[in-house]
Amino acid sequence: LNGTRILVEPTPSSGPLVLRFSEVLKNASFQFLNLLGQILQQESLSSDFITSLDLSNYPNGIYFIRIQAKRNSVTKKVILQK
């Protein structure tokens, strides 16, 4: 993930969220976490520049998305506001 730009939009979000990457990530995954660090959702990422997520089932609040590839990870803050 070193040098890879990752954009999470929109934030705040009402549920639909898009992850945009400056390069294709191979063997990558994401975790959706609450403020306590509990994993609420975890999935592998497709090998693409854009990934769409639907987080509308979760209540309003502050969350984090951790993107992991190889031995590196990046964490981005997400605000859900419906």
Side-chain angles (χ1 to χ4, degrees), residues 19-56:
L19 306 177
R20 296 181 192 273
F21 307 100
S22 62
E23 60 186 67
V24 174
L25 301 178
K26 294 183 180 180
N27 300 319
S29 63
F30 81 89
Q31 295 174 330
F32 184 63
L33 308 125
N34 64 16
L35 282 173
L36 300 175
Q38 297 167 320
I39 299 171
L40 305 175
Q41 185 175 338
Q42 183 171 333
E43 294 181 31
S44 294
L45 291 171
S46 61
S47 296
D48 205 346
F49 289 100
I50 298 174
T51 298
S52 298
L53 307 174
D54 182 10
L55 305 175
S56 58

Side-chain angles (χ1 to χ4, degrees), residues 8-19 32 50-56 65 77-80:
V8 177
E9 58 184 6
T11 188
S13 173
S14 60
L17 202 65
V18 175
L19 306 177
F32 184 63
I50 298 174
T51 298
S52 298
L53 307 174
D54 182 10
L55 305 175
S56 58
I65 290 186
K77 182 166 82 171
V78 174
I79 299 170
L80 288 182

